[in-house]
Amino acid sequence: MDGAWKKKVSIRVNGVEHSREVEPRVLLVHFLRDAIGLTGTHTGCETSICGACTVMLNDTAVKSCTVLAVQADGADVLTIEGLAKGETLHPIQEAFWECHGLQCGYCTPGMILTTHQLLMRNPQPSEDEIRHALDGNLCRCTGYQHIVDSVQLAAKKMGRKAVRRRR
Ligand code: FES
Ligand code: FES
């Protein structure tokens, strides 16, 4: 009986609740890409090395190839599609754009979500702290310096935004 092997999960993704029947073996990255059609989260190694699949799960950056969809039942997930507000890019996205922090873009969603967690926890990271935070995200194109520059610019932009909000 087909239904016997599936479980209903409800996951809030970018503020929208998505309920689906899934097999217990389905990974969160496949739930996002295949079940609800958000293909901005990429799959690379599927062995927790590359970080292309990184999303925020209840405010913690996770590699979504290491999480089962059933483990995320009831959780809040933020993907790259949830960062921009309409046509307005998130400051981290703007910074990657302005500093040329990407070439092919395959690693970029994961880099940006990992940066999001870093700047939530440490709004003014040093270069060493940035490199350490990103060491679980691999990039085959950029040589990393432009990504580090992007994170530094994102920190400045988000700092300025926070100051404006306090005024
Ligand atoms: Fe998840 Fe590479 S696809 S870490
Ligand atoms: Fe191509 Fe990072 S920009 S893998």
Side-chain angles (χ1 to χ4, degrees), residues 101-115:
L102 61 144
Q103 288 181 27
C104 78
Y106 203 83
C107 68
T108 312
M111 289 287 182
I112 287 178
L113 271 299
T114 300
T115 300

Side-chain angles (χ1 to χ4, degrees), residues 4 10 20-21 31 38 75 92 99 101 112 134 136 139-140 155 159:
S10 293
R20 296 286 189 280
E21 300 271 335
F31 179 89
L38 293 180
I92 301 173
C99 291
I112 287 178
L134 294 176
C139 177
R140 297 174 65 138

